[in-house]
Amino acid sequence: MQEFDLEEELKKLPEKPGVYIMHDSSDHILYVGKAVILKNRVRQYFQKSYHTTEKIRRMIEQIQWFEYIVTDSELEALVLECNLIKEYNPKYNTLLKDGKGYPFLRVTLHEDFPRFVFARKMKNNGDKYYGPFTSSTAIRDSIDLINRLFYIRSCHRKLPEEIGKGRPCLYYEMGRCKAPCMGYQTKEEYGKYVKQGMDLLNGDTGKIIRRLQEQMERYSQELAFEEAGKIRDQIQSIEHVTQRQNMLREDRDDLDIIAMAHQEGETVVQVFFLRNGKMIGREHYYITGTEEETEEHILGEFLKQMYAGTPYIPRELLTEVVPEDEEAITRWLREKRGHRVTIRQPQRGQKVRLLNLAKENARMVLERDAQKMKLEYEKTVGALKDIGRLLNLPDLNRIESYDISNINGFETVGSMVVYEEGRPKKNDYRKFRIRSVTGPDDYHAMEEMLRRRFSHGILDEKEKKKTSFSSMPDVLFMDGGKGQMHMAQKVLKEWNLDIPVCGMVKDDRHRTRALLFEDQEIPMDPHSRAFRLVTRIQDETHRFAIEYHRQIRKKGQVHSVLDDIPSIGPARRRALMRYYSSLEDIKEATVEELSEIPEMTRRSAEEVVRFFQEPSQSS
């Protein structure tokens, strides 16, 4: 993860609606939220005066970086927020904890006399669904309004089976239902009213709203303000429930919407993923070296690289231009999917709007990250090239760094850390538990670790296995300086490997101050990007080794020869390790010397001496 300048990123936030996504240091999503104005909402989290719950305060402490998706409206942001929360289940989101999500308005078309009802889930049962919507109250108000305007039944009677059974309900007496349950209204007559209600939900609201506005004005002139207020709320409910859901398509398509933006030879491709009609997420991809390439060529290359590695290909791809080799790419995608795939350039309607929205997000990502990308390049690839010049290794790419960790010679472990293109390649990191060395002998521990590493590598290479060991390094970095550097050269010579070895020379504070290469000390400017990269590699190698050692101790896996001595428990074992620098020193200690340790009794000291005097324990 590249460095994230919080203050700079807060300044770049747009004054537009959208969804923001908070990440922790491990790139886990902590929280997904929506905002009417992203700039105001996201900045609020990082203001000292912001008063919130303890839970949110804990979340804020963990935020390392954030991203956002721009939308056209607050309602669209709400729906997108819902979809992303369902997809990622962020730790600090509680909105959809009940798993219900946003509700739908359902028309029960499978019935002879359909009803307009509230629904939590969409099912494939022949009914018509509208939504999802962000306001349960608006849906219920709209159902009530449609039932009153178009005389729709709200009962649960099974019709036509129960026609004529019982009596008409109160709604008939109130003039709000024409009692199809009693046969007073035919199926055809009732169906006309159902269609009018669906037309209203489909957006044909002009006549209805004008009629309600006239009624509201009439109530106002009669000073019946309470009734006028009810009509006003009804109008708002109609407008709310019929507002277009730009991030949801009623045909429930699977689409990928692909757009791009360019700047100074850099291209960002933004992909919106719509599954089952809902936007479940987005991803952006950087493409370099595009100064003299056409958009058709860039898009064609992107499609081939993108869908070569993705497990799922949707039915339709929406793009701005026709990609180069469209026919071949389409045929290839069809074969991979096993069904028809269409690459389409929409000309009008909602698809064009979604494509423009993807393009706007691509442009904003490019503008936001342009400086960041430049700094990241200098910090990684640029620094690596500087190291290559210092060592006269122009093709330097893969660096492997090694370190040994132990506590006074006990439970020695080794670490192998890998950097490629100036970035850590954590999948290739490896841990070694040293088997053949007793005591604080870092040189021979390093020898064992390197022998195991390169024996694995040569074997994997022969068997053509692709592993972290099969890729040979361009240079080895040895944390221990000249001694370990010569030990590494010895091991490499045994395996006939021509790999440069570089030692890291430390100052009095155990910090790297220079590189030792071909027995010559190469100084480094402590303010240079090369020095900072070497320091990061050294720190990461230390961290990885110490973390492994701590992990072993924490899991109770530490078992030294001291554990086998009668009367020596954990407290006395720790005391012996604290007072003596190695196992050899303990072996040579007398009963009197051991008895001087506060935790030891004379009897336990005698047990230690007796144990090491046994022939089987003397080696």
Side-chain angles (χ1 to χ4, degrees), residues 301-356:
E301 292 301 306
F302 172 76
L303 293 178
K304 287 183 282 188
Q305 295 176 48
M306 164 76 174
Y307 292 105
T310 186
Y312 179 77
I313 298 172
R315 185 182 65 80
E316 187 175 5
L317 309 180
L318 302 186
T319 62
E320 302 172 272
V321 296
V322 177
E324 220 171 58
D325 299 326
E326 180 195 15
E327 185 178 344
I329 291 173
T330 302
R331 191 164 56 246
W332 170 65
L333 290 172
R334 185 184 300 129
E335 289 177 0
K336 283 180 66 68
R337 184 173 188 264
H339 296 282
R340 183 181 178 185
V341 177
T342 304
I343 301 175
R344 184 168 297 166
Q345 298 75 50
Q347 302 300 318
R348 63 180 67 85
Q350 186 190 35
K351 290 183 177 180
V352 170
R353 200 203 61 76
L354 287 171
L355 196 60
N356 290 337

Side-chain angles (χ1 to χ4, degrees), residues 74 413 435:
E74 181 188 6
V413 299
R435 304 164 182 165

Side-chain angles (χ1 to χ4, degrees), residues 50-111:
Y50 181 47
H51 300 291
T52 186
T53 64
E54 179 60 32
K55 174 184 171 184
I56 297 300
R57 280 195 288 272
R58 289 198 304 271
M59 184 266 290
I60 292 172
E61 291 173 357
Q62 298 177 51
I63 295 173
Q64 291 296 312
W65 68 285
F66 60 81
E67 59 178 323
Y68 52 87
I69 303 174
V70 174
T71 61
D72 276 350
S73 67
E74 181 188 6
L75 178 61
E76 184 178 316
L78 280 166
V79 176
L80 178 55
E81 176 196 34
C82 175
N83 295 336
L84 293 178
I85 291 170
K86 285 181 182 176
E87 180 74 10
Y88 297 110
N89 295 314
K91 179 179 179 180
Y92 288 94
N93 277 97
T94 56
L95 179 62
L96 298 179
K97 191 173 181 180
D98 62 357
K100 294 177 180 178
Y102 290 136
F104 297 85
L105 195 158
R106 172 188 171 200
V107 186
T108 60
L109 295 181
H110 72 281
E111 298 177 332

